């Protein structure tokens, strides 16, 4: 089982859309997937018509109680709650505030052990709920959009990840509890715009190894259509017969295959 969190410090970069399409891609390839919607906006919860007034993620943090809801074959979700944004103050006084999700998973391992992937969508911040999700992750995917702040967001997110790893230390071994690897993926790239070219040029200079330019996601209207229609980009494009749509579908298949390969290492 691999746990992958989609996180960013800036909204509007396409986290939810990518999480949705990766989940749909995985189940189409016979993988069993659990989504955890930790964004209080609840976009994925609403996409799958999975809203629950109780036993949602808010109740998990407050009472250790949550329902894993199956929404289609091989796909289940722990729904979000609009009350998640109220958790910060109450969690601040709890011991192990950043590891409550980790403890819940350990206590409910029999309920989650058969999933091939757990995909987590976070609110665009680096607060306690997001830290809980990063703490249980093998990989964190952070999307970078082509804007004057695109490369700056990489530096901001990476500095917060480094600080979190340094704070979450086992005092006996001096090793961090946080071992998630971060993958930065350029998203909404238009190759005919200066902002996209500048972002890619900046990323080519990055020597950290956390940016994989084989995973560049192009800006295409089909991504907006996918969340509006609750259909994956692959299903939408499959129904189109023109050459450009089929070429785009093949391009996206290769990119998503590379993403899955990357997070399965």
């Amino acid at each position: 089982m691999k746990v992958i969190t989609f996180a960013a410090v800036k909204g509007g970069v396409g986290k939810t859309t990518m999480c949705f399409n990766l989940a749909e891609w995985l189940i189409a390839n016979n993988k069993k997937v659990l989504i955890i919607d930790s964004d209080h906006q609840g976009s994925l919860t609403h996409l799958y018509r999975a809203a629950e007034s109780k036993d949602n993620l808010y109740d998990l943090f407050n009472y250790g109680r949550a329902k894993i809801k199956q929404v289609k074959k091989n796909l289940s979700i722990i729904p979000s709650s609009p009350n998640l944004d109220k958790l910060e103050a109450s969690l601040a006084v709890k011991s192990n505030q950043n590891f409550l999700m980790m403890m819940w998973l350990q206590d409910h391992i029999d309920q989650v052990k058969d999933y091939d992937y757990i995909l987590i969508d976070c609110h665009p911040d680096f607060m306690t709920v997001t830290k809980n999700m990063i703490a249980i992750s093998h990989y964190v995917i952070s999307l970078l959009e082509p804007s004057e702040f695109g490369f700056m967001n990489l530096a901001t997110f990476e500095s917060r990840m480094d600080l979190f790893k340094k704070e979450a230390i086992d005092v006996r071994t001096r090793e961090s509890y946080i071992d998630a690897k971060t993958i930065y993926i350029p998203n909404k790239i238009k190759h005919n715009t200066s902002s996209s070219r500048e972002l890619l040029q900046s990323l080519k200079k990055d020597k950290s190894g956390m940016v994989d330019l084989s995973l560049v996601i192009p800006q295409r209207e089909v991504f907006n259509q996918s969340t509006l229609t609750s259909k994956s980009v692959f299903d939408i494009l499959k129904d189109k017969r023109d050459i450009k749509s089929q070429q785009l579908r093949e391009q996206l298949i290769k990119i998503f295959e590379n993403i899955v390969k990357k997070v399965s290492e």
Side-chain angles (χ1 to χ4, degrees):
M1 178 175 64
K2 292 292 184 180
V3 183
I4 303 149
T5 287
F6 288 80
V9 292
K10 181 183 180 299
V13 296
K15 290 184 300 80
T16 300
T17 301
M18 282 299 298
C19 186
F20 168 73
N21 277 285
L22 182 57
E24 293 291 319
W25 169 256
L26 289 168
I27 64 172
N29 286 275
N30 299 312
K31 301 300 182 182
K32 191 173 182 182
V33 177
L34 171 65
I35 291 173
I36 300 176
D37 188 357
S38 72
D39 187 346
H40 63 261
Q41 295 177 354
S43 297
L44 284 175
T45 296
H46 294 299
L47 267 174
Y48 287 111
R49 296 174 176 83
E52 294 285 347
S53 60
K54 60 180 181 178
D55 296 343
N56 50 41
L57 193 62
Y58 180 80
D59 287 347
L60 184 152
F61 276 102
N62 274 314
Y63 316 116
R65 186 179 72 227
K67 178 182 180 181
I68 296 176
K69 184 173 183 177
Q70 184 169 355
V71 292
K72 60 170 66 176
K73 183 181 178 182
N74 287 335
L75 182 63
S76 300
I77 187 170
I78 297 179
S80 179
S81 165
N83 293 319
L84 280 174
D85 65 340
K86 301 176 182 177
L87 279 176
E88 194 66 26
S90 61
L91 293 182
V93 298
K94 290 192 175 185
S95 59
N96 299 315
Q97 59 179 274
N98 294 324
F99 302 99
L100 300 173
M101 192 72 211
M102 182 183 290
M103 292 188 289
W104 185 90
L105 279 180
Q106 291 171 344
D107 292 342
H108 297 82
I109 190 65
D110 288 342
Q111 295 182 39
V112 300
K113 64 181 180 181
D114 293 330
Y115 290 100
D116 297 300
Y117 293 88
I118 296 178
L119 304 184
I120 304 171
D121 188 30
C122 294
H123 191 68
D125 60 34
F126 211 98
M127 301 177 76
T128 307
V129 173
T130 297
K131 288 180 178 179
N132 269 267
M133 300 307 159
I134 291 172
I136 65 171
S137 299
H138 297 99
Y139 288 90
V140 176
I141 293 178
S142 190
L143 301 177
L144 304 172
E145 65 171 353
S147 71
E148 60 179 309
F149 302 110
F151 194 72
M152 187 186 304
N153 288 331
L154 184 156
T156 300
F157 190 83
E158 191 57 28
S159 66
R160 294 185 184 183
M161 279 289 292
D162 285 343
L163 181 60
F164 186 31
K165 289 178 180 180
K166 291 174 182 176
E167 290 174 343
I169 293 291
D170 184 328
V171 295
R172 295 168 299 179
T173 65
R174 305 302 170 90
E175 294 181 359
S176 178
Y177 291 114
I178 312 303
D179 57 8
K181 298 178 182 178
T182 308
I183 302 172
Y184 294 99
I185 299 180
N187 191 34
K188 302 182 180 182
I189 299 300
K190 294 181 180 179
H191 289 280
N192 61 343
T193 64
S194 59
S195 58
S196 289
R197 289 194 298 269
E198 288 169 6
L199 175 65
L200 294 178
Q201 286 298 323
S202 297
L203 295 176
K204 285 179 182 178
K205 299 174 185 177
D206 182 75
K207 304 299 183 183
S208 68
M210 293 179 291
V211 180
D212 189 336
L213 293 179
S214 72
L215 306 180
V216 174
I217 310 292
Q219 169 72 47
R220 294 292 186 273
E221 179 58 28
V222 69
F223 284 102
N224 294 328
Q225 294 173 10
S226 73
T227 51
L228 288 172
T229 62
S230 299
K231 292 178 66 176
S232 75
V233 292
F234 308 101
D235 287 341
I236 292 172
L237 293 170
K238 184 173 63 175
D239 294 337
K240 297 180 182 292
R241 299 303 177 191
D242 60 286
I243 293 175
K244 285 188 176 181
S245 293
Q246 293 310 307
Q247 288 175 336
L248 176 59
R249 187 171 185 269
E250 291 301 315
Q251 179 188 3
L252 294 178
I253 285 173
K254 184 174 181 180
I255 291 169
F256 274 70
E257 285 176 343
N258 286 338
I259 291 173
V260 173
K261 181 178 179 181
K262 191 85 172 178
V263 300
S264 299
E265 294 175 351

